[in-house]
PDB file of all heavy atoms in Angstrom:
ATOM      1  N   HIS A 729     -21.861 -10.012  67.656  1.00 93.00           N
ATOM      2  CA  HIS A 729     -20.839 -10.956  68.101  1.00 93.00           C
ATOM      3  C   HIS A 729     -20.253 -10.604  69.459  1.00 93.00           C
ATOM      4  O   HIS A 729     -19.707 -11.475  70.130  1.00 93.00           O
ATOM      5  CB  HIS A 729     -19.703 -11.034  67.073  1.00 93.00           C
ATOM      6  CG  HIS A 729     -20.147 -11.530  65.743  1.00 93.00           C
ATOM      7  ND1 HIS A 729     -20.255 -12.868  65.452  1.00 93.00           N
ATOM      8  CD2 HIS A 729     -20.541 -10.876  64.620  1.00 93.00           C
ATOM      9  CE1 HIS A 729     -20.694 -13.018  64.207  1.00 93.00           C
ATOM     10  NE2 HIS A 729     -20.874 -11.826  63.689  1.00 93.00           N
ATOM     11  N   ASP A 730     -20.314  -9.340  69.865  1.00 93.00           N
ATOM     12  CA  ASP A 730     -19.741  -8.988  71.161  1.00 93.00           C
ATOM     13  C   ASP A 730     -20.838  -8.525  72.109  1.00 93.00           C
ATOM     14  O   ASP A 730     -21.596  -7.610  71.811  1.00 93.00           O
ATOM     15  CB  ASP A 730     -18.619  -7.954  71.049  1.00 93.00           C
ATOM     16  CG  ASP A 730     -18.814  -6.929  69.953  1.00 93.00           C
ATOM     17  OD1 ASP A 730     -19.923  -6.822  69.391  1.00 93.00           O
ATOM     18  OD2 ASP A 730     -17.852  -6.207  69.665  1.00 93.00           O
ATOM     19  N   VAL A 731     -20.909  -9.212  73.244  1.00 97.00           N
ATOM     20  CA  VAL A 731     -22.004  -8.987  74.192  1.00 97.00           C
ATOM     21  C   VAL A 731     -21.476  -8.912  75.624  1.00 97.00           C
ATOM     22  O   VAL A 731     -20.409  -9.440  75.946  1.00 97.00           O
ATOM     23  CB  VAL A 731     -23.068 -10.108  74.107  1.00 97.00           C
ATOM     24  CG1 VAL A 731     -23.634 -10.223  72.713  1.00 97.00           C
ATOM     25  CG2 VAL A 731     -22.508 -11.445  74.569  1.00 97.00           C
ATOM     26  N   SER A 732     -22.261  -8.251  76.454  1.00 98.00           N
ATOM     27  CA  SER A 732     -22.000  -8.234  77.892  1.00 98.00           C
ATOM     28  C   SER A 732     -23.323  -8.485  78.606  1.00 98.00           C
ATOM     29  O   SER A 732     -24.361  -7.936  78.208  1.00 98.00           O
ATOM     30  CB  SER A 732     -21.412  -6.884  78.315  1.00 98.00           C
ATOM     31  OG  SER A 732     -21.082  -6.882  79.690  1.00 98.00           O
ATOM     32  N   GLY A 733     -23.279  -9.322  79.620  1.00 98.00           N
ATOM     33  CA  GLY A 733     -24.521  -9.651  80.318  1.00 98.00           C
ATOM     34  C   GLY A 733     -24.282 -10.555  81.493  1.00 98.00           C
ATOM     35  O   GLY A 733     -23.200 -10.551  82.094  1.00 98.00           O
ATOM     36  N   VAL A 734     -25.272 -11.351  81.812  1.00 98.00           N
ATOM     37  CA  VAL A 734     -25.262 -12.204  82.999  1.00 98.00           C
ATOM     38  C   VAL A 734     -25.538 -13.648  82.583  1.00 98.00           C
ATOM     39  O   VAL A 734     -26.417 -13.904  81.751  1.00 98.00           O
ATOM     40  CB  VAL A 734     -26.331 -11.741  84.002  1.00 98.00           C
ATOM     41  CG1 VAL A 734     -26.329 -12.623  85.248  1.00 98.00           C
ATOM     42  CG2 VAL A 734     -26.116 -10.285  84.380  1.00 98.00           C
ATOM     43  N   ILE A 735     -24.803 -14.587  83.161  1.00 98.00           N
ATOM     44  CA  ILE A 735     -25.055 -15.998  82.870  1.00 98.00           C
ATOM     45  C   ILE A 735     -26.420 -16.373  83.434  1.00 98.00           C
ATOM     46  O   ILE A 735     -26.675 -16.250  84.632  1.00 98.00           O
ATOM     47  CB  ILE A 735     -23.966 -16.901  83.457  1.00 98.00           C
ATOM     48  CG1 ILE A 735     -22.613 -16.604  82.789  1.00 98.00           C
ATOM     49  CG2 ILE A 735     -24.331 -18.376  83.276  1.00 98.00           C
ATOM     50  CD1 ILE A 735     -21.466 -17.415  83.345  1.00 98.00           C
ATOM     51  N   ALA A 736     -27.314 -16.813  82.531  1.00 97.00           N
ATOM     52  CA  ALA A 736     -28.682 -17.147  82.928  1.00 97.00           C
ATOM     53  C   ALA A 736     -28.883 -18.641  83.145  1.00 97.00           C
ATOM     54  O   ALA A 736     -29.724 -19.050  83.955  1.00 97.00           O
ATOM     55  CB  ALA A 736     -29.667 -16.649  81.865  1.00 97.00           C
ATOM     56  N   ALA A 737     -28.136 -19.467  82.405  1.00 97.00           N
ATOM     57  CA  ALA A 737     -28.282 -20.921  82.536  1.00 97.00           C
ATOM     58  C   ALA A 737     -27.053 -21.604  81.956  1.00 97.00           C
ATOM     59  O   ALA A 737     -26.341 -21.037  81.114  1.00 97.00           O
ATOM     60  CB  ALA A 737     -29.542 -21.401  81.819  1.00 97.00           C
ATOM     61  N   LEU A 738     -26.805 -22.823  82.414  1.00 97.00           N
ATOM     62  CA  LEU A 738     -25.690 -23.634  81.929  1.00 97.00           C
ATOM     63  C   LEU A 738     -26.227 -24.932  81.362  1.00 97.00           C
ATOM     64  O   LEU A 738     -27.170 -25.521  81.909  1.00 97.00           O
ATOM     65  CB  LEU A 738     -24.708 -23.926  83.067  1.00 97.00           C
ATOM     66  CG  LEU A 738     -24.079 -22.700  83.744  1.00 97.00           C
ATOM     67  CD1 LEU A 738     -23.372 -23.124  85.026  1.00 97.00           C
ATOM     68  CD2 LEU A 738     -23.115 -21.995  82.798  1.00 97.00           C
ATOM     69  N   GLY A 739     -25.629 -25.376  80.250  1.00 96.00           N
ATOM     70  CA  GLY A 739     -26.040 -26.640  79.666  1.00 96.00           C
ATOM     71  C   GLY A 739     -25.779 -27.804  80.610  1.00 96.00           C
ATOM     72  O   GLY A 739     -24.926 -27.718  81.503  1.00 96.00           O
ATOM     73  N   PRO A 740     -26.472 -28.913  80.419  1.00 96.00           N
ATOM     74  CA  PRO A 740     -26.359 -30.052  81.351  1.00 96.00           C
ATOM     75  C   PRO A 740     -24.964 -30.662  81.418  1.00 96.00           C
ATOM     76  O   PRO A 740     -24.627 -31.317  82.419  1.00 96.00           O
ATOM     77  CB  PRO A 740     -27.380 -31.053  80.801  1.00 96.00           C
ATOM     78  CG  PRO A 740     -27.589 -30.659  79.364  1.00 96.00           C
ATOM     79  CD  PRO A 740     -27.435 -29.179  79.330  1.00 96.00           C
ATOM     80  N   ASP A 741     -24.155 -30.474  80.387  1.00 97.00           N
ATOM     81  CA  ASP A 741     -22.828 -31.076  80.380  1.00 97.00           C
ATOM     82  C   ASP A 741     -21.722 -30.098  80.770  1.00 97.00           C
ATOM     83  O   ASP A 741     -20.534 -30.465  80.756  1.00 97.00           O
ATOM     84  CB  ASP A 741     -22.519 -31.641  78.985  1.00 97.00           C
ATOM     85  CG  ASP A 741     -23.473 -32.749  78.588  1.00 97.00           C
ATOM     86  OD1 ASP A 741     -23.996 -33.432  79.497  1.00 97.00           O
ATOM     87  OD2 ASP A 741     -23.731 -32.904  77.373  1.00 97.00           O
ATOM     88  N   TYR A 742     -22.078 -28.856  81.110  1.00 97.00           N
ATOM     89  CA  TYR A 742     -21.038 -27.888  81.470  1.00 97.00           C
ATOM     90  C   TYR A 742     -20.528 -28.181  82.880  1.00 97.00           C
ATOM     91  O   TYR A 742     -21.312 -28.335  83.823  1.00 97.00           O
ATOM     92  CB  TYR A 742     -21.574 -26.458  81.419  1.00 97.00           C
ATOM     93  CG  TYR A 742     -20.517 -25.447  81.825  1.00 97.00           C
ATOM     94  CD1 TYR A 742     -19.529 -25.063  80.934  1.00 97.00           C
ATOM     95  CD2 TYR A 742     -20.488 -24.928  83.120  1.00 97.00           C
ATOM     96  CE1 TYR A 742     -18.538 -24.174  81.310  1.00 97.00           C
ATOM     97  CE2 TYR A 742     -19.497 -24.034  83.508  1.00 97.00           C
ATOM     98  CZ  TYR A 742     -18.521 -23.671  82.589  1.00 97.00           C
ATOM     99  OH  TYR A 742     -17.522 -22.788  82.966  1.00 97.00           O
ATOM    100  N   ASN A 743     -19.194 -28.257  83.042  1.00 95.00           N
ATOM    101  CA  ASN A 743     -18.615 -28.537  84.358  1.00 95.00           C
ATOM    102  C   ASN A 743     -17.431 -27.628  84.662  1.00 95.00           C
ATOM    103  O   ASN A 743     -16.530 -27.995  85.415  1.00 95.00           O
ATOM    104  CB  ASN A 743     -18.195 -30.010  84.457  1.00 95.00           C
ATOM    105  CG  ASN A 743     -17.165 -30.385  83.396  1.00 95.00           C
ATOM    106  OD1 ASN A 743     -16.731 -29.537  82.611  1.00 95.00           O
ATOM    107  ND2 ASN A 743     -16.773 -31.653  83.378  1.00 95.00           N
ATOM    108  N   GLY A 744     -17.423 -26.443  84.060  1.00 94.00           N
ATOM    109  CA  GLY A 744     -16.331 -25.500  84.273  1.00 94.00           C
ATOM    110  C   GLY A 744     -16.579 -24.575  85.456  1.00 94.00           C
ATOM    111  O   GLY A 744     -17.506 -24.771  86.244  1.00 94.00           O
ATOM    112  N   PRO A 745     -15.749 -23.531  85.569  1.00 95.00           N
ATOM    113  CA  PRO A 745     -15.814 -22.644  86.745  1.00 95.00           C
ATOM    114  C   PRO A 745     -16.901 -21.575  86.688  1.00 95.00           C
ATOM    115  O   PRO A 745     -17.195 -20.944  87.699  1.00 95.00           O
ATOM    116  CB  PRO A 745     -14.426 -21.988  86.743  1.00 95.00           C
ATOM    117  CG  PRO A 745     -14.040 -21.961  85.287  1.00 95.00           C
ATOM    118  CD  PRO A 745     -14.604 -23.227  84.696  1.00 95.00           C
ATOM    119  N   LEU A 746     -17.487 -21.328  85.520  1.00 96.00           N
ATOM    120  CA  LEU A 746     -18.494 -20.281  85.402  1.00 96.00           C
ATOM    121  C   LEU A 746     -19.761 -20.669  86.145  1.00 96.00           C
ATOM    122  O   LEU A 746     -20.127 -21.851  86.204  1.00 96.00           O
ATOM    123  CB  LEU A 746     -18.806 -19.996  83.930  1.00 96.00           C
ATOM    124  CG  LEU A 746     -17.639 -19.428  83.106  1.00 96.00           C
ATOM    125  CD1 LEU A 746     -18.010 -19.374  81.626  1.00 96.00           C
ATOM    126  CD2 LEU A 746     -17.242 -18.032  83.605  1.00 96.00           C
ATOM    127  N   ARG A 747     -20.458 -19.655  86.693  1.00 97.00           N
ATOM    128  CA  ARG A 747     -21.649 -19.898  87.489  1.00 97.00           C
ATOM    129  C   ARG A 747     -22.785 -18.965  87.077  1.00 97.00           C
ATOM    130  O   ARG A 747     -22.547 -17.843  86.613  1.00 97.00           O
ATOM    131  CB  ARG A 747     -21.342 -19.691  88.985  1.00 97.00           C
ATOM    132  CG  ARG A 747     -20.324 -20.669  89.560  1.00 97.00           C
ATOM    133  CD  ARG A 747     -20.896 -22.066  89.635  1.00 97.00           C
ATOM    134  NE  ARG A 747     -19.934 -23.045  90.149  1.00 97.00           N
ATOM    135  CZ  ARG A 747     -19.207 -23.848  89.385  1.00 97.00           C
ATOM    136  NH1 ARG A 747     -19.319 -23.799  88.050  1.00 97.00           N
ATOM    137  NH2 ARG A 747     -18.361 -24.703  89.921  1.00 97.00           N
ATOM    138  N   ILE A 748     -24.012 -19.435  87.275  1.00 98.00           N
ATOM    139  CA  ILE A 748     -25.185 -18.618  87.002  1.00 98.00           C
ATOM    140  C   ILE A 748     -25.128 -17.346  87.848  1.00 98.00           C
ATOM    141  O   ILE A 748     -24.777 -17.389  89.030  1.00 98.00           O
ATOM    142  CB  ILE A 748     -26.474 -19.408  87.289  1.00 98.00           C
ATOM    143  CG1 ILE A 748     -26.637 -20.548  86.279  1.00 98.00           C
ATOM    144  CG2 ILE A 748     -27.704 -18.502  87.253  1.00 98.00           C
ATOM    145  CD1 ILE A 748     -27.779 -21.489  86.585  1.00 98.00           C
ATOM    146  N   GLY A 749     -25.439 -16.210  87.219  1.00 97.00           N
ATOM    147  CA  GLY A 749     -25.441 -14.928  87.916  1.00 97.00           C
ATOM    148  C   GLY A 749     -24.179 -14.114  87.733  1.00 97.00           C
ATOM    149  O   GLY A 749     -24.154 -12.930  88.112  1.00 97.00           O
ATOM    150  N   GLN A 750     -23.117 -14.704  87.179  1.00 98.00           N
ATOM    151  CA  GLN A 750     -21.879 -13.949  86.973  1.00 98.00           C
ATOM    152  C   GLN A 750     -22.011 -12.984  85.801  1.00 98.00           C
ATOM    153  O   GLN A 750     -22.634 -13.292  84.784  1.00 98.00           O
ATOM    154  CB  GLN A 750     -20.707 -14.905  86.707  1.00 98.00           C
ATOM    155  CG  GLN A 750     -20.248 -15.674  87.933  1.00 98.00           C
ATOM    156  CD  GLN A 750     -19.058 -16.575  87.633  1.00 98.00           C
ATOM    157  OE1 GLN A 750     -19.074 -17.323  86.659  1.00 98.00           O
ATOM    158  NE2 GLN A 750     -18.034 -16.498  88.469  1.00 98.00           N
ATOM    159  N   ASP A 751     -21.397 -11.797  85.957  1.00 98.00           N
ATOM    160  CA  ASP A 751     -21.324 -10.830  84.865  1.00 98.00           C
ATOM    161  C   ASP A 751     -20.197 -11.227  83.924  1.00 98.00           C
ATOM    162  O   ASP A 751     -19.047 -11.409  84.364  1.00 98.00           O
ATOM    163  CB  ASP A 751     -21.049  -9.422  85.409  1.00 98.00           C
ATOM    164  CG  ASP A 751     -22.241  -8.834  86.139  1.00 98.00           C
ATOM    165  OD1 ASP A 751     -23.370  -9.270  85.871  1.00 98.00           O
ATOM    166  OD2 ASP A 751     -22.039  -7.930  86.972  1.00 98.00           O
ATOM    167  N   VAL A 752     -20.499 -11.364  82.648  1.00 97.00           N
ATOM    168  CA  VAL A 752     -19.519 -11.847  81.683  1.00 97.00           C
ATOM    169  C   VAL A 752     -19.559 -11.032  80.393  1.00 97.00           C
ATOM    170  O   VAL A 752     -20.523 -10.322  80.114  1.00 97.00           O
ATOM    171  CB  VAL A 752     -19.744 -13.338  81.346  1.00 97.00           C
ATOM    172  CG1 VAL A 752     -19.447 -14.226  82.544  1.00 97.00           C
ATOM    173  CG2 VAL A 752     -21.163 -13.566  80.831  1.00 97.00           C
ATOM    174  N   VAL A 753     -18.486 -11.180  79.637  1.00 97.00           N
ATOM    175  CA  VAL A 753     -18.361 -10.604  78.305  1.00 97.00           C
ATOM    176  C   VAL A 753     -18.047 -11.750  77.361  1.00 97.00           C
ATOM    177  O   VAL A 753     -17.317 -12.678  77.734  1.00 97.00           O
ATOM    178  CB  VAL A 753     -17.231  -9.559  78.253  1.00 97.00           C
ATOM    179  CG1 VAL A 753     -17.186  -8.874  76.899  1.00 97.00           C
ATOM    180  CG2 VAL A 753     -17.402  -8.535  79.368  1.00 97.00           C
ATOM    181  N   ALA A 754     -18.587 -11.711  76.151  1.00 95.00           N
ATOM    182  CA  ALA A 754     -18.339 -12.811  75.217  1.00 95.00           C
ATOM    183  C   ALA A 754     -18.127 -12.286  73.802  1.00 95.00           C
ATOM    184  O   ALA A 754     -18.711 -11.276  73.408  1.00 95.00           O
ATOM    185  CB  ALA A 754     -19.499 -13.802  75.235  1.00 95.00           C
ATOM    186  N   LEU A 755     -17.280 -13.001  73.077  1.00 93.00           N
ATOM    187  CA  LEU A 755     -17.094 -12.776  71.644  1.00 93.00           C
ATOM    188  C   LEU A 755     -17.583 -14.032  70.937  1.00 93.00           C
ATOM    189  O   LEU A 755     -16.948 -15.085  71.005  1.00 93.00           O
ATOM    190  CB  LEU A 755     -15.627 -12.505  71.313  1.00 93.00           C
ATOM    191  CG  LEU A 755     -15.295 -12.346  69.827  1.00 93.00           C
ATOM    192  CD1 LEU A 755     -16.093 -11.212  69.212  1.00 93.00           C
ATOM    193  CD2 LEU A 755     -13.804 -12.105  69.627  1.00 93.00           C
ATOM    194  N   LEU A 756     -18.717 -13.946  70.282  1.00 92.00           N
ATOM    195  CA  LEU A 756     -19.359 -15.105  69.671  1.00 92.00           C
ATOM    196  C   LEU A 756     -18.748 -15.428  68.315  1.00 92.00           C
ATOM    197  O   LEU A 756     -18.360 -14.529  67.558  1.00 92.00           O
ATOM    198  CB  LEU A 756     -20.862 -14.841  69.516  1.00 92.00           C
ATOM    199  CG  LEU A 756     -21.579 -14.379  70.794  1.00 92.00           C
ATOM    200  CD1 LEU A 756     -23.041 -14.088  70.494  1.00 92.00           C
ATOM    201  CD2 LEU A 756     -21.451 -15.426  71.882  1.00 92.00           C
ATOM    202  N   ALA A 757     -18.684 -16.701  67.989  1.00 85.00           N
ATOM    203  CA  ALA A 757     -18.086 -17.156  66.740  1.00 85.00           C
ATOM    204  C   ALA A 757     -18.805 -16.546  65.545  1.00 85.00           C
ATOM    205  O   ALA A 757     -20.026 -16.340  65.571  1.00 85.00           O
ATOM    206  CB  ALA A 757     -18.146 -18.683  66.659  1.00 85.00           C
ATOM    207  N   PRO A 758     -18.067 -16.260  64.461  1.00 79.00           N
ATOM    208  CA  PRO A 758     -18.657 -15.580  63.311  1.00 79.00           C
ATOM    209  C   PRO A 758     -19.771 -16.358  62.652  1.00 79.00           C
ATOM    210  O   PRO A 758     -20.723 -15.774  62.134  1.00 79.00           O
ATOM    211  CB  PRO A 758     -17.472 -15.390  62.359  1.00 79.00           C
ATOM    212  CG  PRO A 758     -16.468 -16.408  62.782  1.00 79.00           C
ATOM    213  CD  PRO A 758     -16.633 -16.537  64.253  1.00 79.00           C
ATOM    214  N   ALA A 759     -19.687 -17.673  62.655  1.00 80.00           N
ATOM    215  CA  ALA A 759     -20.708 -18.471  61.975  1.00 80.00           C
ATOM    216  C   ALA A 759     -22.022 -18.498  62.733  1.00 80.00           C
ATOM    217  O   ALA A 759     -23.061 -18.828  62.167  1.00 80.00           O
ATOM    218  CB  ALA A 759     -20.202 -19.899  61.778  1.00 80.00           C
ATOM    219  N   ARG A 760     -21.979 -18.113  64.032  1.00 83.00           N
ATOM    220  CA  ARG A 760     -23.179 -18.200  64.849  1.00 83.00           C
ATOM    221  C   ARG A 760     -23.745 -16.822  65.176  1.00 83.00           C
ATOM    222  O   ARG A 760     -24.904 -16.533  64.918  1.00 83.00           O
ATOM    223  CB  ARG A 760     -22.873 -18.966  66.134  1.00 83.00           C
ATOM    224  CG  ARG A 760     -24.116 -19.336  66.919  1.00 83.00           C
ATOM    225  CD  ARG A 760     -23.790 -20.251  68.087  1.00 83.00           C
ATOM    226  NE  ARG A 760     -23.062 -19.570  69.151  1.00 83.00           N
ATOM    227  CZ  ARG A 760     -21.763 -19.695  69.361  1.00 83.00           C
ATOM    228  NH1 ARG A 760     -21.039 -20.483  68.604  1.00 83.00           N
ATOM    229  NH2 ARG A 760     -21.171 -19.055  70.346  1.00 83.00           N
ATOM    230  N   GLY A 761     -22.932 -15.934  65.748  1.00 87.00           N
ATOM    231  CA  GLY A 761     -23.413 -14.605  66.071  1.00 87.00           C
ATOM    232  C   GLY A 761     -24.613 -14.637  66.994  1.00 87.00           C
ATOM    233  O   GLY A 761     -24.596 -15.266  68.041  1.00 87.00           O
ATOM    234  N   GLU A 762     -25.664 -13.934  66.608  1.00 94.00           N
ATOM    235  CA  GLU A 762     -26.937 -13.897  67.339  1.00 94.00           C
ATOM    236  C   GLU A 762     -26.801 -13.249  68.714  1.00 94.00           C
ATOM    237  O   GLU A 762     -27.496 -13.591  69.658  1.00 94.00           O
ATOM    238  CB  GLU A 762     -27.542 -15.295  67.456  1.00 94.00           C
ATOM    239  CG  GLU A 762     -27.836 -15.925  66.091  1.00 94.00           C
ATOM    240  CD  GLU A 762     -28.538 -17.271  66.195  1.00 94.00           C
ATOM    241  OE1 GLU A 762     -28.257 -18.027  67.147  1.00 94.00           O
ATOM    242  OE2 GLU A 762     -29.380 -17.568  65.329  1.00 94.00           O
ATOM    243  N   GLY A 763     -25.906 -12.258  68.819  1.00 96.00           N
ATOM    244  CA  GLY A 763     -25.688 -11.593  70.094  1.00 96.00           C
ATOM    245  C   GLY A 763     -26.634 -10.440  70.376  1.00 96.00           C
ATOM    246  O   GLY A 763     -26.747 -10.006  71.526  1.00 96.00           O
ATOM    247  N   GLN A 764     -27.303  -9.920  69.355  1.00 97.00           N
ATOM    248  CA  GLN A 764     -28.200  -8.788  69.585  1.00 97.00           C
ATOM    249  C   GLN A 764     -29.618  -9.289  69.867  1.00 97.00           C
ATOM    250  O   GLN A 764     -30.542  -9.117  69.078  1.00 97.00           O
ATOM    251  CB  GLN A 764     -28.164  -7.820  68.412  1.00 97.00           C
ATOM    252  CG  GLN A 764     -26.891  -6.976  68.454  1.00 97.00           C
ATOM    253  CD  GLN A 764     -26.889  -5.859  67.468  1.00 97.00           C
ATOM    254  OE1 GLN A 764     -27.919  -5.397  67.010  1.00 97.00           O
ATOM    255  NE2 GLN A 764     -25.689  -5.413  67.109  1.00 97.00           N
ATOM    256  N   ALA A 765     -29.731  -9.917  71.006  1.00 97.00           N
ATOM    257  CA  ALA A 765     -30.996 -10.488  71.463  1.00 97.00           C
ATOM    258  C   ALA A 765     -30.987 -10.508  72.973  1.00 97.00           C
ATOM    259  O   ALA A 765     -29.926 -10.382  73.600  1.00 97.00           O
ATOM    260  CB  ALA A 765     -31.174 -11.898  70.906  1.00 97.00           C
ATOM    261  N   GLU A 766     -32.156 -10.667  73.582  1.00 97.00           N
ATOM    262  CA  GLU A 766     -32.228 -10.693  75.042  1.00 97.00           C
ATOM    263  C   GLU A 766     -31.450 -11.866  75.623  1.00 97.00           C
ATOM    264  O   GLU A 766     -30.909 -11.771  76.725  1.00 97.00           O
ATOM    265  CB  GLU A 766     -33.683 -10.767  75.491  1.00 97.00           C
ATOM    266  CG  GLU A 766     -34.440  -9.460  75.378  1.00 97.00           C
ATOM    267  CD  GLU A 766     -35.817  -9.569  75.987  1.00 97.00           C
ATOM    268  OE1 GLU A 766     -36.703 -10.184  75.344  1.00 97.00           O
ATOM    269  OE2 GLU A 766     -36.008  -9.048  77.105  1.00 97.00           O
ATOM    270  N   TYR A 767     -31.400 -12.976  74.892  1.00 97.00           N
ATOM    271  CA  TYR A 767     -30.654 -14.149  75.319  1.00 97.00           C
ATOM    272  C   TYR A 767     -29.851 -14.676  74.142  1.00 97.00           C
ATOM    273  O   TYR A 767     -30.319 -14.669  72.996  1.00 97.00           O
ATOM    274  CB  TYR A 767     -31.589 -15.245  75.833  1.00 97.00           C
ATOM    275  CG  TYR A 767     -32.258 -14.889  77.129  1.00 97.00           C
ATOM    276  CD1 TYR A 767     -33.469 -14.208  77.138  1.00 97.00           C
ATOM    277  CD2 TYR A 767     -31.676 -15.207  78.359  1.00 97.00           C
ATOM    278  CE1 TYR A 767     -34.094 -13.862  78.330  1.00 97.00           C
ATOM    279  CE2 TYR A 767     -32.296 -14.875  79.549  1.00 97.00           C
ATOM    280  CZ  TYR A 767     -33.496 -14.193  79.526  1.00 97.00           C
ATOM    281  OH  TYR A 767     -34.100 -13.842  80.709  1.00 97.00           O
TER     282      TYR A 767
END
């Protein structure tokens, strides 16, 4: 659930301030998880 990495791609409807290539940290929702993977 907790990951650190780089933004690789943005969905077609994303229009926020985040950009590809930024170093980020994320806490993934419990129902989804899937943080221990390359992407």
Side-chain angles (χ1 to χ4, degrees):
H729 298 276
D730 35 13
V731 302
S732 183
V734 180
I735 296 178
L738 301 168
D741 297 332
Y742 179 79
N743 59 2
L746 296 172
R747 296 291 178 262
I748 292 172
Q750 288 182 311
D751 289 337
V752 292
V753 185
L755 176 58
L756 308 177
R760 191 172 70 257
E762 300 184 326
Q764 283 189 23
E766 284 187 284
Y767 291 89

